[in-house]
Amino acid sequence: MTVGRFAPSPSGRIHLGNILCCLLAWLSARQKGGNIVLRIEDLDSARCPRRYADQMIEDLLWLGLDWDHGPKVSGPDEPYFQSQRTGIYQAALDQLEALELVYPCFCTRAELHAASAPHREDGQAVYAGTCRQLTPAQQAERARLRPPALRLRVTDREFPFIDGHMGYYVENLERDCGDFLLRRSDGKFAYQLAVVVDDAAMGVTEVVRGADLLSSTPRQLYLYQLLGLTPPTFFHFPLLLSPDGRRLSKRDADAGLDSLRGQVTAEALLGRLAQLAGFHPSGAPSTAEGLLEEFSWEKVPREDIRLPARLFA
Ligand code: GLU
């Protein structure tokens, strides 16, 4: 059975990009008769206070995008808030430590920057491996000064996969990424580890998310392999850009539900988003259910979608 998911990070009010993500995840899974899990990705608890999550849940209900397991409806894999799942991530970390692939990293932000490793296309630096070779004595000495982050050793290997929408994608983790974080120095688990552990634990079979996360997928595939878990199918969709061509963020008030909910109905919003995403030419108001027949991944563009200056006439 297909299991899709919504995995929003409640660091502010959801914007059109988050809504499109949930709509596509919903349609893709429901079209196959599948279930949806809602998981709140609030690992960074300082940036994701509970009231934002509550608002997000309420916004999804207003939109009519329902889920089968998650907050409000319960389910077999509780809790559905990442901030409450630390024990599960620790168990996965222990498993990776037993493989001797984890090491402490003492680099400060400034040091990471100064190591000036080449930058990837998405602007992230490739970790230079500064702390990879520290001896146990050096590690102990540095640990007295600051708590370390934990990194996973990667290998000189290609991680190719076929994205359900974007097609073939490959990265060599050593060349294109470097050893990556599993836990931050403040003790918070990193997104890459948590998302893999949770999608597997919750039986997710398809992941639908923005193309900004395409380059995270090889890292996640590596983790699936090391942890002996089966990866889902991935569908990455193009990003929504603001009318002036920037990436949409939670700070774009016009695209946030704060202002939109007062102006339009949920059906008008879904109909317009479906039109922008290429599978609902009329743009007429519609429930999510009403879009099931028209939706297909082939109709969704692969290039970023720029929002018009006025969303509604
Ligand atoms: N929580 C992430 C976000 O809101 C999504 C992670 C994912 O879909 O893998 O950007």
Side-chain angles (χ1 to χ4, degrees):
M1 169 161 188
T2 297
V3 179
R5 44 77 150 179
F6 305 151
S9 297
S11 57
R13 194 82 185 255
I14 48 176
H15 60 59
L16 292 175
N18 308 128
I19 299 172
L20 178 61
C21 183
C22 292
L23 176 63
L24 292 173
W26 191 95
L27 290 168
S28 188
R30 293 288 191 229
Q31 219 178 37
K32 303 175 190 107
N35 274 349
I36 305 274
V37 172
L38 168 61
R39 178 175 70 243
I40 305 293
E41 302 218 321
D42 59 348
L43 280 175
D44 193 342
S45 45
R47 283 184 60 227
C48 299
R50 180 59 190 250
R51 69 193 150 83
Y52 283 168
D54 290 341
Q55 178 69 62
M56 191 164 267
I57 290 167
E58 213 272 305
D59 284 336
L60 287 170
L61 292 171
W62 178 77
L63 287 160
L65 296 170
D66 63 340
W67 55 95
D68 304 279
H69 300 303
K72 296 254 189 221
V73 290
S74 84
D77 304 301
E78 287 176 335
Y80 289 97
F81 287 77
Q82 287 194 324
S83 56
Q84 297 167 20
R85 296 176 62 80
T86 359
I88 301 168
Y89 309 138
Q90 184 61 50
L93 182 62
D94 292 346
Q95 224 180 312
L96 297 169
E97 278 184 323
L99 298 172
E100 301 191 350
L101 290 173
V102 181
Y103 65 88
C105 170
F106 300 90
C107 294
T108 60
R109 212 174 276 253
E111 281 164 348
L112 287 175
H113 199 72
S116 73
H119 282 246
R120 335 160 16 117
E121 267 175 43
D122 61 11
Q124 284 177 35
V126 176
Y127 181 60
T130 319
C131 291
R132 209 186 224 237
Q133 311 300 347
L134 295 179
T135 63
Q138 288 169 321
Q139 289 174 349
E141 192 190 309
R142 282 177 210 202
R144 275 203 295 271
L145 299 172
R146 69 187 308 256
L150 296 177
R151 282 186 191 271
L152 181 69
R153 245 174 236 278
V154 299
T155 49
D156 179 16
R157 239 189 68 197
E158 309 268 301
F159 277 85
F161 76 103
I162 311 277
D163 186 77
H165 187 55
M166 295 295 196
Y168 182 79
Y169 184 81
V170 65
E171 266 190 21
N172 174 308
L173 286 181
E174 191 171 271
R175 191 189 59 221
D176 302 322
C177 172
D179 298 341
F180 60 90
L181 286 181
L182 296 174
R183 209 179 68 190
R184 303 186 335 193
S185 59
D186 63 5
K188 298 252 175 355
F189 285 94
Y191 156 72
Q192 307 292 355
L193 179 67
V195 78
V196 165
V197 169
D198 284 347
D199 280 335
M202 296 176 182
V204 169
T205 64
E206 63 171 47
V207 164
V208 173
R209 60 189 180 194
D212 53 333
L213 290 169
L214 190 62
S215 63
S216 283
T217 312
R219 272 171 276 177
Q220 293 172 13
L221 289 172
Y222 180 46
L223 283 169
Y224 275 102
Q225 196 180 72
L226 293 175
L227 294 168
L229 303 168
T230 310
T233 311
F234 294 93
F235 292 86
H236 289 86
F237 64 88
L239 298 180
L240 290 186
L241 304 180
S242 63
D244 60 3
R246 283 173 304 109
R247 247 178 75 179
L248 224 53
S249 85
K250 295 207 167 76
R251 285 179 298 277
D252 282 294
D254 297 349
L257 267 192
D258 257 340
S259 68
L260 288 169
R261 256 182 88 159
Q263 298 169 34
V264 293
T265 62
E267 289 76 22
L269 193 54
L270 293 184
R272 185 73 169 109
L273 271 178
Q275 182 186 36
L276 289 166
F279 58 91
H280 183 51
S282 76
S286 174
T287 58
E289 198 99 46
L291 295 167
L292 274 172
E293 213 160 291
E294 275 179 302
F295 170 74
S296 90
W297 278 109
E298 283 101 83
K299 296 180 187 166
V300 177
R302 292 194 176 78
E303 309 75 41
D304 291 346
I305 302 168
R306 197 187 277 229
L307 292 171
R310 282 172 67 91
L311 255 194
F312 296 95

